[in-house]
Amino acid sequence: MQDNDCIFCKIISGKIPSRKLYEDDLIYAFHDINPAAPVHFLIIPKSHIPTLSDASAAHEAALGRMLAKVGELAREAGCTDGYRTMINCGRVGRQEVYHLHMHVVGGPDPLPPMLVFER
Ligand code: AMP
Ligand code: ZN
């Protein structure tokens, strides 16, 4: 369920250090190494799912846990009035690390608009 070449699998197993926020049997949360906002952490499933498009019924428990925990973790990080979650998927979504991860960003009140499209 782990990929030996995957940087986030190595974070889960402790081979690469991380600033851990939370861990249980299904998920792991840690601060993003290059934060885009004052609060920026990632929640990942412990099993190696490359992208959101690779998720299936077998992953429902881990994906559900990610959504069930994000509010508590964001509150603990100081986001008491809101935050934003993002899951970049694949080339078009500009995903860089191919182990599914949910970004949680917050800090500015309010955050900038969700997406800015060039016209
Ligand atoms: P994405 O573009 O959605 O694939 O985002 C990947 C995120 O992983 C980026 O925000 C990176 O800053 C972050 N990242 C990459 N390597 C590490 C690492 N070793 N520890 C923490 N975050 C990382
Ligand atoms: Zn992985």
Side-chain angles (χ1 to χ4, degrees):
M1 297 243 266
Q2 304 268 290
D3 179 329
N4 289 335
D5 297 325
C6 169
I7 183 172
F8 285 178
C9 284
K10 287 180 184 168
I11 282 177
I12 292 163
S13 66
K15 288 182 196 139
I16 292 179
S18 68
R19 291 171 59 214
K20 181 168 87 173
L21 287 163
Y22 176 77
E23 176 178 16
D24 63 26
D25 56 328
L26 291 174
I27 65 171
Y28 190 100
F30 56 107
H31 289 282
D32 195 292
I33 204 165
N34 185 22
V39 175
H40 186 178
F41 63 91
L42 306 173
I43 308 179
I44 63 178
K46 281 193 165 173
S47 52
H48 180 81
I49 310 168
T51 80
L52 189 58
S53 292
D54 298 305
S56 67
H59 306 120
E60 279 175 9
L63 296 173
R65 185 74 59 80
M66 287 165 64
L67 289 175
K69 266 285 168 189
V70 62
E72 179 187 325
L73 296 178
R75 261 192 309 280
E76 284 173 6
C79 299
T80 49
D81 287 326
Y83 52 91
R84 182 172 295 149
T85 62
M86 278 172 295
I87 300 177
N88 295 324
C89 183
R91 179 183 61 81
V92 170
R94 298 197 180 198
Q95 183 175 355
E96 288 173 5
V97 177
Y98 277 74
H99 179 129
L100 193 162
H101 49 281
M102 178 191 290
H103 293 261
V104 184
V105 293
D109 179 4
L111 285 162
M114 189 167 73
L115 290 171
V116 181
F117 292 100
E118 287 171 16
R119 289 167 195 269

